[in-house]
Amino acid sequence: MTKPKVAFYWCASCGGCEEAVVDLAENILPVIAAVEIVLWPVALDFKRQDIEDLPDGAILASFINGAIRTTEQEEMVQLLRCKSQIVIAFGSCAQLGGIPGLANLSTRETLLKTAYLTAPSVVNPEQVLPAQRTIVDGKELELPELQSEVRALDQVIAVDYYVPGCAPPPDLVQQALTALLENKLPPKGTVLAPQKALCETCPRKDTKPDILKIGAIKRVAEAPIPTDKCFLAEGFICLGPATRGGCGERCIRANMPCEGCFGPIEGVTDQGAKFLGALSSLIDSTDEQEIETILKTVLDPAGKFYMFSLPRSLGVRFLDKSE
């Protein structure tokens, strides 16, 4: 009996999603026994040609993590889309753009100048910037082109399912693999995680006041962090009200507020705007100037409210206009 073919691919991300697969520990063994892995560059020696040689639709499912920033990444995900029956956006960066998506706050030109010319640790007296093509020993070498913006996976190809998280927790990974192998997947387009907000499962939910008001916004680096109270009630920004549950409340249990890596709850298009609207309504003041003063204490609102979802935002794009 022919085993179903499965592929894993890594685009613009930190690699934590690749580790999430390994974090299945002994539970990964029956998965490996049940499928034929045809691509997993981080773990096994496969080549692009191996995928190109497969018939269209030969791969049952491709798990693609990471956002899309380079021409090579775009080419590979388009190839995998063609060869796969099912494409799964695996992790925050593929689903939302993730932390790499914060690069959209600056232009490509500014990013390259910072990384290769002006950063304090850079020593580059010849002011060399990466070139897509260059001649070395008489031979032309080519690098993938850095595209003008970071995009979520479904902004480049059609995506069938989403497994959220930075990184996805092992239980969701196991459930997704089981549903795939047993052919028990829900309708296409589904996020394979609970359909409720994180606040509903937060271990501190009982400490949230019925009427929540914030008189000041605190930073975790500058104020004592409560170990048993609602972060928002104490003035710490926590994106739990605008974030999907299912992560196991890992940050909350480590005494840190939610940063929003599981993405928006069902029906919400712009996670950052949703939370910003909620936060504004919680400020304990009716004076517009005082409300504005309190909100200005958030030093990096784009980075805070869109830490994982900037490429998905409806209005926050390319605040740096230097290019």
Side-chain angles (χ1 to χ4, degrees), residues 95-96 154 162 189 191 194-198 200 239-245 260 262-278 305-306 308-314:
Q95 179 194 8
L96 307 167
D154 66 7
Y162 303 82
V191 178
Q195 308 292 332
K196 53 187 175 183
L198 176 63
E200 294 185 38
L239 270 67
T243 300
R244 181 186 297 271
F262 256 55
I265 55 179
E266 203 72 19
V268 174
T269 301
D270 191 316
Q271 182 182 11
K274 174 72 173 179
F275 181 79
L276 182 57
F305 304 137
Y306 290 97
F308 292 94
S309 63
L310 187 69
R312 284 274 180 219
S313 71
L314 300 177

Side-chain angles (χ1 to χ4, degrees), residues 41-218:
V42 74
L44 302 169
D45 185 20
F46 292 104
K47 308 300 181 187
R48 176 171 174 164
Q49 188 65 48
D50 297 328
I51 302 302
E52 292 175 341
D53 290 342
L54 292 173
D56 291 355
I59 300 173
L60 171 62
S62 286
F63 291 76
I64 302 175
N65 79 83
I68 309 303
R69 187 62 200 257
T70 69
T71 51
E72 180 183 41
Q73 291 162 356
E74 183 168 358
E75 290 169 5
M76 282 301 301
V77 300
Q78 288 175 342
L79 175 63
L80 287 168
R81 175 67 277 182
C82 181
K83 302 298 182 180
S84 305
Q85 300 171 36
I86 295 170
V87 168
I88 297 172
F90 190 60
S92 301
C93 295
Q95 179 194 8
L96 307 167
I99 290 176
L102 291 174
N104 286 358
L105 294 172
S106 299
T107 63
R108 175 178 54 192
E109 179 184 65
T110 298
L111 292 170
L112 290 172
K113 285 182 177 179
T114 301
Y116 291 93
L117 301 179
T118 63
S121 60
V122 169
V123 179
N124 187 1
E126 296 180 358
Q127 303 288 284
V128 176
L129 290 173
Q132 190 177 357
R133 292 179 177 83
T134 188
I135 303 298
V136 178
D137 296 332
K139 297 181 179 180
E140 185 179 69
L141 302 180
E142 183 177 353
L143 288 174
E145 181 183 0
L146 189 69
Q147 296 178 328
S148 61
E149 63 179 319
V150 178
R151 290 172 290 171
L153 184 59
D154 66 7
Q155 292 172 322
V156 178
I157 62 171
V159 168
D160 299 301
Y161 299 101
Y162 303 82
V163 178
C166 183
D171 61 324
L172 287 191
V173 178
Q174 183 69 50
Q175 290 169 23
L177 288 168
T178 300
L180 175 68
L181 295 175
E182 294 181 355
N183 195 25
K184 295 181 179 179
L185 286 165
K188 289 188 176 183
T190 299
V191 178
L192 302 178
Q195 308 292 332
K196 53 187 175 183
L198 176 63
C199 284
E200 294 185 38
T201 58
C202 178
R204 305 183 184 204
K205 64 180 181 180
D206 292 339
T207 67
K208 182 179 179 180
D210 293 334
I211 300 177
L212 177 58
K213 291 294 181 180
I214 298 174
I217 294 176
K218 304 173 185 177

Side-chain angles (χ1 to χ4, degrees), residues 5 10 18 30 36 40 68 71 91 95-96 104 118 127 222 232-233 248 251 256 266 273 276 288 291 294 299:
K5 294 177 172 59
W10 177 359
E18 299 282 357
E36 177 188 356
W40 195 6
I68 309 303
T71 51
Q95 179 194 8
L96 307 167
N104 286 358
T118 63
Q127 303 288 284
E222 299 176 348
L232 275 173
C251 293
M256 291 295 290
E266 203 72 19
L276 182 57
E288 289 187 11
I291 293 173
I294 292 173
L299 301 183

